[in-house]
């Protein structure tokens, strides 16, 4: 079976495993207070171009979203996001579990646009009964979005400006940020993200670590007492140095960029192959997730040799499916797929 | 000023105030354990045609929704409702405050329809990732709906049957149930409501009491330990007998029906007046809430003599407004309004 | 039956009922935005000697505690109180329902003392693992305490100073504040309370209103967006003016003080009677709650003519019981009781 | 520096790291639905002597406690435990974050005893106001307890029987269960634990894995929809197979018992050394945590060569400290320590 099911099917990138082995017998303080976490933090802040910021390491995406959103909101506030947002659809109510409403904006491209946000907030305060409603308290976006699209730098600049004007912290879920930054036509850099978002995270789980997400902020005051809040969410890893070691490796010798570029290269080969064979794109995605519409008989035949995910619900005669690449995808994997088409 | 602003602008119906005065010096146990609550419970169960049910008295609508929904759901479940539902829009996140997601169905008429519900639930379980999502755990409706429309008996029968088939308790918010039952063309009775809903409440606040909502269920096991749950929500009234006295009065000598009929009569006179003068209905409502589109200059002129509510946001040249009648609306009020048009 | 069961057994003081009747047919805005609430607020602030403060009216004690504490704490913080505190024992977990831990101090007299608080907080930060623990975020006291004792002015001054030093808002539950202020030997005035507590409330339910608690603060910024927070807790009364009318009456013509004094006079007569007959006090209380140890046979005989509450659990041969007086207790009630002893 | 600070200072036992390396390049489904998790589950159920049970793998202890307790309680219920319990003291309010109160029993030995539990519950229901209080809904214990003591088989039998009689599920936190089972004089086996507890977990983090706790139940119905609940708590690991691989290794070839025995051997050597040198035990613990009272000058001198933890707060002249052993402690470590005394 060739694996295109997801970008968290295997363990970790070999260089990361090596480092975990090499440091295995060292004794360090727990809970992220070790030298590896400190070093990884400084590597990341450097890469982000932030001098006075702060980095926190957590284990997974849903818990990271829950902790950050719980930290940023007061009880009368909710989090504004696109209807398709992961926090709205696929986190089993983790945000509501902390008492906060998810306030959804309709969005055809999976993004929150500055003008849609402005209108939402203006309409909110224009309604005479707004004090009976959940206040918008922050904005959540993901990059790439849930459907693989990317913000342009202009779009993120505008959104960031609007958030600033409205006093709403802007939070980016970067579970797959690595692939957004490596996409072919993007004009967004990690420094742009760090400058334009109040808080964001750099996903590790889907980028070649065993697990781990690095929360970054240039405004540490927004996350005061975050250590205790993370503990309260059951999200504080005892052997926190495992996160430090992994992110230190990811941000050494360009590994982060290398992994991103490789996965994008593979994804573009894969996309070309499908397009070349006349298949229709369900979404034209520039990232490591490729969405193709397959006739059901093709889908069923492929399923014997290649793993991938049905995107939503199986259709009558054709079905959108998702193919994902990552650090472990090989050119040969793509060739096998092509030969099967 | 003639009052059409809402149905909770004045105190209580005079017969209710009389009873509160007459019983004021009696000493009774607190927290609803008194003879008035017991009597009111049995009057209501009789009227509902329920032999083995249970009634709980709470103070206001939002707290009643929060308590009932918290009682009916388990942590991995959410409440399904129409997008316009009060719990989704106007309760400041009271449902999420207990950790539960509000799962919205698009709805053009403010109702949850059996077939839309079935499709929602089927699609939910058809998605391979459903275990990562908030499960539908119950259905919330209101009658009349948030926009003044009414379920037909057929619609409620179908919805109730579908809920039963899916194992989802059906809960009706009856804050204005009094007006639904008194509407001219409805084929729904209180007994139908009691038979078809697993839990529902009969609003008092908007029906002529000082405050109070009577939660009714024919399935008491669904609300086990409800007393303690109500206390936990800060919703247990110390002098609970005030609720008993008021609902006892409402359900004695036909007062409940009398108030409902009167308000509907006044609302129909008001509607006819507007239609007769050529104004457009924003929604054609059979209940005590009437939604009219007014040219802004008419709206502004009226506002000097009559109170009413802008419905949403003021438009450029015309604006939808809401006029509400209740037990205290007089024919003279309507005449004054007509003379002003 | 003569009633000494509690101070919320009857309706409201006749002057309050009169005012509710007199204002019943007036139409006002809902949710506390009416002239009665505004007037009651200014009467209360005057009486408290606060020029720039804010008053909010809620319905009951548990919901008031839940709303205020939820407003004052951040997620990593808990509320410090005496072990016997109402929020710790008798509120069905309403504080935890908003996600906050109740941090208990052992206390033999039901009070939080400045030095015990200081030690608690010092020990908290002295422990190397404190960031894994719930931070003390505010202090909750009640006056009188749960067991009827009173803070002296010195004690409250010291506690307030300590709270200020530690940056912990001091919140007083004044469900029975009326009786604390009317006690014979107290040196505490309402102005002292208002000056020394950051937030407190003046109970109405146990002081002669049908229901209602007036939250007072001289630091309005502490309760920002409290209206919405109250709504979120299901605690916003639609006909809010009922609270305004009642508190306006309570704070007009000295009614508040009159009720307090009367109940204390009755309580002291009752206490003297028991002591005179040789009964032992379980707690020597200066307020309207009197705690007497009764031989079980006396208790059982009395129970046929007089209502009162067993305090805790029935003993083998004798049992502590509680007698409560209020505005409706008459000298004749006391005489009947004496004749029965 | 010789490390006695805690049992999570290093990475994982070499055999576990080997297996993680060996399986690193395999692609498996995520979220614990892989063959390694299935195999680990069956190994654990076998070892527990459970035929029809269920095992869930989570990442850390606090999140495991939070998820299990949230699954077992209804909203009006709290969790009963000893005052010193980890959930009461060191989890930053993770239990309250899900809305549940921690109901503490005083306990001098860190245990919940059957008779103390019975009295607590009897007193609870004997109080006339119990419906205003948080109901006991389950019992939490840890083995070893927070202070290193062990239940005897008789004690756990009695507690389990009492829980059964009262209808309260018994949940054991086994973060350090490995050391309890390996203690010299214990009469408790893993099969006893599995038979007597409704739910318990086998700690991995402190037993030689990188992370991971295995929740075991012989009553799967108690944890219905646990997958989704875990997701809602942000505790579902994407690369769940990492947990499967680690627990599979721990429960193959007797590694679990080997690690436990080794750490206990080291701990007993360490204890003997201190006792032999005339130092006083703060607690006489049979497990891998040893609590010694050290004169401050000895403590300060040792601190230059050996890592350990101050237990609580530094005393005036002497201080209780904790030394911990684990799989990585060597005889040489103990010898170095002895030479320093």
């Amino acid at each position: 079976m060739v694996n295109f099911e997801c970008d968290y099917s295997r363990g970790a990138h070999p260089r990361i495993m090596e480092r975990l082995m090499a440091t295995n017998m060292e004794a360090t303080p727990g809970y992220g207070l070790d030298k590896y976490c400190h070093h990884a933090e400084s590597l990341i802040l450097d890469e982000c171009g932030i001098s006075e910021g702060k980095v926190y390491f957590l284990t997974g995406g849903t818990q990271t979203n829950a902790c950050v959103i719980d930290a940023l909101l007061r009880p009368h506030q909710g989090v504004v996001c696109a209807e398709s947002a992961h926090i709205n659809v696929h986190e089993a109510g983790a945000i509501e579990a902390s008492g906060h409403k998810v306030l959804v904006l309709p969005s055809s491209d999976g993004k929150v646009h500055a003008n849609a946000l402005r209108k939402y907030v203006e309409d909110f305060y224009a309604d005479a009964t707004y004090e009976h409603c959940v206040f918008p308290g922050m904005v959540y976006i993901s990059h790439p979005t849930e459907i693989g699209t990317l913000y342009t730098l202009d779009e993120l600049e505008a959104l960031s400006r609007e958030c600033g004007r409205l006093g709403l912290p802007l939070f980016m879920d970067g579970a797959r940020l690595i692939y957004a930054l490596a996409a072919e036509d993007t004009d967004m850099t990690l420094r742009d993200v760090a400058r334009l978002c109040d808080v964001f995270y750099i996903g590790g789980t889907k980028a070649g670590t065993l697990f781990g997400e690095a929360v970054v902020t240039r405004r540490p005051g927004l996350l005061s007492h975050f250590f205790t809040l993370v503990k309260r969410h059951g999200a504080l890893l005892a052997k926190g140095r495992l996160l430090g070691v992994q992110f230190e490796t990811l941000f050494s010798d360009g590994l982060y960029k290398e992994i991103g570029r490789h996965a994008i290269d593979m994804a573009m080969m894969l996309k070309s192959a499908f397009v070349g064979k006349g298949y229709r794109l369900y979404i034209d995605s520039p990232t490591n997730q490729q969405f193709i519409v397959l006739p059901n008989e093709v889908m069923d035949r492929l399923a014997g040799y290649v793993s991938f995910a049905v995107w939503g619900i199986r259709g009558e005669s054709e079905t959108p499916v998702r193919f994902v690449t990552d650090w472990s995808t090989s050119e040969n994997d793509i060739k096998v797929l092509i030969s099967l088409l």
Side-chain angles (χ1 to χ4, degrees), chain A:
Chain A
M1 287 290 280
V2 181
N3 175 57
F4 295 107
E5 179 138 18
C6 65
D7 34 19
Y8 45 91
S9 296
R10 292 197 168 85
H13 189 280
R15 266 147 71 187
I16 289 171
M17 290 306 288
E18 269 164 42
R19 286 296 295 156
L20 287 173
M21 287 297 277
T23 58
N24 190 53
M25 295 307 292
E26 291 179 31
T28 65
Y31 306 115
L33 306 174
D34 61 279
K35 65 182 176 184
Y36 295 108
C37 286
H38 290 145
H39 188 214
E41 177 177 34
S42 80
L43 289 173
I44 289 174
L45 290 178
D46 274 3
E47 197 75 14
C48 291
I50 298 177
S51 50
E52 302 285 304
K54 193 88 197 67
V55 178
Y56 297 92
F57 298 103
L58 283 85
T59 302
T62 295
Q63 78 177 206
T64 302
N65 288 331
C67 289
V68 170
I69 290 171
D70 199 19
L72 293 180
L73 293 181
R74 290 203 42 222
H76 68 288
Q77 297 176 324
V79 51
V80 180
C81 63
E83 202 166 4
S84 55
H86 204 260
I87 56 168
N88 189 43
V89 179
H90 274 113
E91 301 196 350
I95 305 310
E96 291 82 2
S98 295
H100 297 295
K101 192 173 184 70
V102 176
L103 303 167
V104 298
L105 294 183
S107 171
S108 58
D109 59 4
K111 304 182 193 175
V112 175
H113 288 282
N115 53 356
L117 175 67
R118 181 188 308 121
K119 180 160 170 33
Y120 179 84
V121 175
E122 281 175 5
D123 286 359
F124 177 84
Y125 287 104
D127 192 302
T129 63
Y130 76 89
E131 286 197 292
H132 296 251
C133 304
V134 177
F135 281 56
M138 64 178 288
V139 174
Y140 164 97
I141 59 173
S142 66
H143 184 66
T145 68
E146 203 59 22
I147 56 172
T149 53
L150 293 181
Y151 286 84
T152 65
L153 181 54
D154 273 359
E155 286 171 340
L156 193 63
E157 294 264 16
L159 181 60
S160 176
R161 209 160 40 232
E162 191 60 38
C163 284
R165 204 180 63 83
L166 295 167
L168 302 177
L170 176 60
F171 168 48
M172 178 190 282
D173 173 336
R176 289 192 172 98
L177 183 56
I178 188 172
Y179 306 115
L181 298 175
E184 285 174 354
D185 295 327
T186 186
D187 55 356
M188 184 102 60
T189 65
L190 183 56
R191 295 200 165 208
D192 293 324
V193 169
R195 176 175 55 86
L196 296 171
C197 297
D198 296 287
V199 184
F200 72 103
Y201 69 93
I202 302 171
T205 304
K206 291 165 179 161
T209 63
L210 291 176
F211 52 85
E213 320 292 314
V215 175
V216 184
T217 183
R218 56 181 163 79
R219 300 178 59 194
L222 284 179
L223 299 181
S224 83
H225 294 97
F226 198 62
F227 182 98
T228 304
L229 201 71
V230 167
K231 177 81 180 181
R232 179 182 186 257
H233 276 263
L236 191 65
L237 191 67
K239 300 183 182 176
R241 71 34 182 311
L242 300 172
L243 295 161
V245 169
Q246 294 184 89
F247 273 96
E248 186 188 52
T249 312
L250 213 50
F251 279 86
S252 296
D253 305 322
L255 180 57
Y256 185 74
K257 287 181 184 166
E258 181 184 323
I259 292 175
R261 220 157 31 219
H262 173 76
I264 293 295
D265 288 349
M266 295 299 103
M268 293 305 110
M269 277 181 64
L270 183 147
K271 186 204 282 195
S272 301
F274 276 109
V275 170
K277 298 280 183 187
Y279 292 99
R280 187 157 51 88
L281 300 177
Y282 185 66
I283 300 160
D284 185 0
S285 157
T287 72
N288 76 317
Q289 300 189 85
Q290 293 299 319
F291 305 88
I292 322 284
V293 181
L294 291 185
N296 287 354
E297 74 271 10
V298 175
M299 178 173 75
D300 294 343
R301 182 167 50 79
L302 274 185
Y305 308 93
V306 176
S307 68
F308 51 83
V310 168
W311 194 245
I313 301 177
R314 182 188 177 97
E316 293 274 311
S317 62
E318 57 178 29
T319 302
V321 301
R322 188 190 66 170
F323 292 80
V324 186
T325 62
D326 65 14
W327 57 273
S328 68
T329 309
S330 68
E331 282 198 41
N332 196 51
D333 293 343
I334 310 289
K335 283 177 190 157
V336 170
L337 176 64
I338 292 173
S339 72
L340 289 163
L341 288 179

